[in-house]
Amino acid sequence: MRHLITATVNGRERELSVKSSQTLLDVLRDDLRLKGTHEGCSVGVCGSCTVLVDGKPVSSCLMLASNAEGRDVLTIESLARDGNLDPVQQAFLDRQAFQCGFCTPGMIMAVKGLLNENPKPDEAEVRDYLSGNICRCGTYVEVMAAIEDLTAKPQ
Amino acid sequence: MSAVGSDVPRVDGNAKVSGSAQYTADIELPGMLHARALRSPHPHAKLVSVDVSKAAALPGVIAVVTRDDLEGLNPYYGAVVEDQPVLAIERVRCVGDIVAAVAAEEREIAEEAVELIEVEYEPLPAVFDVVEAAAPGAPIIHEERFETQAAVFREQLNLNAGGNVCSVFRAADGDMDAGFADADEIFENTYRMPPVQHGHIEPHVATAVWESPNRLVVHTPCQNAVGLQEQLARIFDLPESGVRVVVPFVGGGYGGKTHARLEPVTALLARKAGRPVQWVLTREEVFLTGRRYGGFVRMKTGFKRDGTLVAREVEVFYDLGAYALSGPANAKTGSYVASGPYRVPNRRLTTYAVYTNLPPAGPYRGVGVPHVAWAYESEMDRIARHLGMDPLELRLKNLLQEGDIFVTGESLVSVGISDCLRQAATGIGWRGREEQADNASEGSLRRGKGLAVIMKSTTTPTASAASVRLNSDGSVMLLTSSTEIGQGVRTCLAQIVAERLGFPVERVTVSAPDTDVTPYDKSTSSSRTTFHMGNAALRAAEEVREQLLEAGAQALEVDKADLELGAGGVSVRGVPDRSLTIPQLLRVKYGDSVGSIFGSCNFQVKGGLDPKTGKGKAAAFWFFSACAAEVEVDVETGKVRVLDIATSVDVGKAINPLQCWLQNEGSMLEALGAAFFEEMVFEQGQPVNGTLLEYMLPSMEDHPERFQSLLVETPHPDGPFGAKGAGEAVIPAVAPAIGNAVANALGGVNITELPLRPDRIVAALAEREAGVSGEK
Amino acid sequence: MRNFDLLEPKTVTEACRMLDDGEDVRPVSGGTALLILVKQGLLRPRTLVNLKKLEGANAITRDEAGAVRIEAMATIHQVETSPVVREHLPVLAAACHQVANIRIRHLATIGGNLAHGDHQSDPPGVLVALDAEVELSGTRGTRAMKLADFLLGTYETALEPGEMVTAVTVPPVRGRLVSDYLKFTTGSSEERPCAGITALVRLEGDRPVEARLAVGAVAARPLLLCETDPTEGALPRMAERASEEIDPIPDLRGSAEYKRHLVRVLGRRALAAAWKEACP
Ligand SMILES: Cc1cc2nc3c(=O)[nH]c(=O)nc-3n(C[C@H](O)[C@H](O)[C@H](O)COP(=O)(O)OP(=O)(O)OC[C@H]3O[C@@H](n4cnc5c(N)ncnc54)[C@H](O)[C@@H]3O)c2cc1C
Ligand code: FES
Ligand code: FES
């Protein structure tokens, strides 16, 4: 069974025909070929599939695509504008807050979500919010430093 | 600014933060099919029949493969022992063994088809415990005779002796009986370490396509492109040049992607289907595909009252699971360091690599060393406590020193181990003897500190080759089969090449492995890349440099020695306006037909151990590390919090200090998980916690409150700029340092089995309480 | 994931009719539990009824009497951040904040959480302590029952075929409630609770008139103990009783014996913390 939905993906309104059993992640990767969103666990634990829906981070691997109807979906590909990185991406670069990079797009989107909800998080709030985004390579110290850079700067 | 020794930003950074880095699962080839496998639900069974007719008839299914499709191939493969069939043949040996695989137009169709395959099994007796498996009378897991392509292992392997012991390794020094007779006291204990997951967030994945019947192309996040190329060529009876292995970006490896895992089946499917096939493992399948060896260690130590170690006898059992992969080599790596980085005049070290009916293991960061380090470093603290000595002092007293002869007979160089230990201890504010006694406590909370120190070899003998190409515009390309698995190897190698040429790092690009183009490399493992490939790259760059200087000397009519090479080209030292740019130099060399300058090097380290005596050269270089930790234990719940942790590694020379930090942070975090909660649990061979919902990896909240990654730089005479390796250095020291801190917090209650789960801690405390009141 | 059809009702009546259509039909809300079961092949529904698109099904309101009503489709994150919940039922907000991770909390619903009947969960214990009721709607109408009676066991609830959870309500609190929620995990911070302990002290004026201790995630269903006219000295005994009465499910996080021990320790701590705040 298919569903015709309208959703805004990375700023562009799209009519999408999605299968009942497709997740948002499936649609992003397989249909829209937005491969920057990764699949690590498929069960909501790792966070490598994190995207923003109406500004809030979700595990796209567990969200039915049909529920994107009328929503605003942002993936990692939406961040850089005219060849300029988003401040969060830049802060990750400055702090070298990645190794293999597989968790990185999800981590960056989660940080976007965090700063949407709480522009000046303290360390405990950062840990609490991001603890569901798993980085096996070990970059938590640098991610925290990147966020510190971002929040220390006057906006 | 010098390229080497500074925190040069990673060359792959932009691709990774922008989401444009292409991983294997991101590749889509025209007409590509999706694969799914049918896996054994039995830990050990005879494969009576496999009927795929219904699956094959399902619309959308293009190919189904079973043992019948292995005809005409060399169906067994393996890195050291060729014991693993591409698909189960006579029997299945673990839950998860691949019995059949399907390629279909859609993933869901492949999934459905797998369920239509009918298999009849005849269960066989199975064995799961490594010590039981090694004992006579245990069910035999492999009855076939195997080949090995690895000449160095032939003598050590125990393959055709019957039984499940795949290999035995022995190393010895002195006289055991005399040693123990000389001891004032003797301690004897056993230690256990369960299997754990590598936990790379990118699952195993491969894409295969046959361009012609003689030409196979595989994309895979493999840490060992050339090794995989060789194995695929053997399986499919092709020349090595008939197999092209390309490695895109890799989403973490930690050893878990070192060997062929799903590539042979993917290639087989693609051949039958006549179309490209992609197979992405589900996380549940990853749990059945690779893991760290479980280990059991028996350790007997004789020591003097002043703390001098005089004798040590160690027996180690590594649980390989159903197939060996590089098990015998990894077991050996644990074996000769089983008595620790200490001077022990009399010792006997014996290691068994043993098959069990569990899913296959394989190398994981630190390979065999974490198991033995857990034992010998726990033991050191017990001895210190018993003698009332400062654990730091006891270790320093016994540690190996520069120039010491190791149990393998080689003389040790670049031994910064004591500095590592002191640095780590200072990092957490170690206060000597006092750490034994006055533990802070508040309510149910007890604090404690612990130390551990380790040494590890890099796999030897091996070779790495590299080519450097200088283009006419002055840009440089390094061709290498070293895999960027997140450790920063591309950046590190770019730094080395840039440094030698005097160019800015941005001018150097580093290839991803592509066996059509990039030269031989043993593998990206064993912390060997900076040293081996770094040396190869350095020398290849040197060749290019020489050619440039020669061209410059010719054109400028000066001696080569009077020239210097830099970003702008060649100039006469002290006379900057007598210079030539790179394009000009190329013109001098080639005339008007522009070309490129090429340099190459095949860097080899000879060595290896005599399998009978265990003597020779075990390592191109040894590396050393230490860890110190402070913990707070809630004695009522058993929950432990890490307040402070410091690691220290002797890297020889930090080519990129920030990337060294990141390596150590990753090692620390993986080891922290294994210290506290990571543990693959099986019941009768069935995984109990085989998903990431049940088996969790450390999170940002689990990260210690304070962490320091410290470096010692004791230059290695053979290393590029003195560098050794860092990738694995920290991991074996962390669990014992934490374990010792916990034992210290609990006033000497030792837990010998990892992980240090809260219930284990509470039980151990209760046991002591019962013991104490029992004594009264 | 295996294919299924997704029906998308706009009203509860429509949804119930769709649900009443045989064995292979199931409701799906956030999907965070259900889709995992489908992915793992443990469930093979032919049809899922998507409750996410029901209109106005996620409101959180408080009536004049003080009862708080949370519609089933409210996400865990909405509950956690709802001003009504934060002000009047802070312990529920605290427990919901501890559920899973931020991404799951944005998807998962309170209705799905309760209907799933997973004992290793944070909200049920707290809601039982708060005496919550669930509202169930089916083709045969609407009924309400105590959450404590609704939760029958691990993955077992009083839901009849064709029925769905439409709301959970917390009755008005007489006096003032001081509460504490302790989530205990044995491993990673991200784990499901090994124990979820709720302690409540209800005050009328300055006088503690009731103490409650609810133990979630340890046994197949939450355990609730109440004590009227409590004294500080009686609290440890309450924790002791909880540890005796509970029937823990042993698993990789610990044996039954260990979990009993935890209930005693954590019960005592949670009660002490609530008491300290109630009667400083
Ligand atoms: C990574 C991860 C970590 C987690 N950690 C925690 C944790 O720490 N603490 C915790 O408490 N929980 C945890 N959970 C569980 C989580 O709370 C539940 O998955 C979630 O609350 C279920 O809600 P849902 O809306 O997604 O339900 P769904 O998945 O949509 O449905 C769950 C079940 O309920 C049925 N159902 C759904 N809605 C209704 C309804 N309105 N009426 C009747 N039946 C219905 C479905 O048919 C299904 O059987 C975790 C989950 C994940 C994935
Ligand atoms: S892939 Fe979605 S959270 Fe891991
Ligand atoms: S960078 Fe590799 S998992 Fe995070």
Side-chain angles (χ1 to χ4, degrees), chain A residues 97-104 107 134-139, chain B residues 199-202 250-252 254 485-486:
Chain A
F98 53 88
Q99 293 187 49
C100 78
F102 199 78
C103 71
T104 309
M107 190 73 86
I134 302 301
C135 175
R136 183 60 155 178
C137 290
T139 56
Chain B
H200 34 76
I201 308 293
E202 176 196 43
V250 179
Y254 327 113
I485 50 175

Side-chain angles (χ1 to χ4, degrees), chain A residues 25 38-50 58-62 132, chain B residues 201 692, chain C residues 39 101 103-104:
Chain A
L25 179 63
H38 300 149
E39 181 161 18
C41 71
S42 318
V43 294
V45 179
C46 74
S48 50
C49 69
T50 308
V58 302
S59 277
S60 59
C61 67
L62 287 183
Chain B
I201 308 293
L692 283 183
Chain C
K39 286 181 182 200
N101 55 55
R103 306 180 309 273
I104 297 299

Side-chain angles (χ1 to χ4, degrees), chain B residues 127-131 133 192-195 291-296 316-323 327 331 352-362 371 682:
Chain B
V127 61
F128 310 110
D129 178 82
V130 65
V131 180
R192 245 180 217 282
M193 186 173 261
R291 61 180 174 87
R292 171 154 92 194
Y293 312 105
F296 176 80
V316 192
F317 294 78
Y318 292 103
D319 143 35
L320 302 176
Y323 303 104
Y352 306 93
V354 185
Y355 291 117
T356 63
N357 288 115
L358 292 179
H371 311 72
F682 295 92

Side-chain angles (χ1 to χ4, degrees), chain A residues 1 3 5 19-23 26 39 42-47 50 56-59 61-64 66-67 69 71 117 128-129 131-134, chain C residues 1-8 28-33 35-36 39-40 48 50 52-53 77 81 97 100-107 188-190:
Chain A
M1 193 168 162
H3 308 256
I5 64 165
K19 263 188 359 193
S20 285
S21 54
Q22 267 185 309
T23 62
D26 295 337
E39 181 161 18
S42 318
V43 294
V45 179
C46 74
T50 308
K56 295 168 189 139
V58 302
S59 277
C61 67
L62 287 183
M63 175 168 160
L64 286 173
S66 164
N67 285 336
E69 165 78 40
R71 308 284 208 94
E117 267 184 63
D128 177 55
Y129 197 95
S131 65
N133 280 72
I134 302 301
Chain C
M1 189 163 43
R2 292 292 293 275
N3 291 326
F4 50 76
D5 287 340
L6 191 66
L7 303 181
E8 306 204 302
V28 60
S29 296
T32 62
L35 295 186
I36 292 174
K39 286 181 182 200
Q40 293 178 337
L48 292 183
N50 186 4
K52 268 277 181 175
K53 291 184 181 169
H77 186 262
T81 52
H97 179 70
N101 55 55
I102 184 70
R103 306 180 309 273
I104 297 299
R105 295 201 296 276
H106 277 306
L107 292 172
S188 164
S189 69
E190 296 310 287

Side-chain angles (χ1 to χ4, degrees), chain B residues 402 413-416 531 650-654 712-724:
Chain B
E402 190 78 36
V413 292
S414 174
V415 188
F531 186 93
D650 180 1
V651 293
K653 162 81 187 172
V712 168
E713 296 186 284
T714 314
H716 194 288
D718 304 329
F721 305 101
K724 296 189 277 189

Side-chain angles (χ1 to χ4, degrees), chain B residues 699-715:
Chain B
S699 72
M700 196 179 274
E701 281 194 303
D702 298 328
H703 189 97
E705 281 163 44
R706 182 155 177 268
F707 164 64
Q708 295 168 79
S709 162
L710 308 166
L711 300 179
V712 168
E713 296 186 284
T714 314

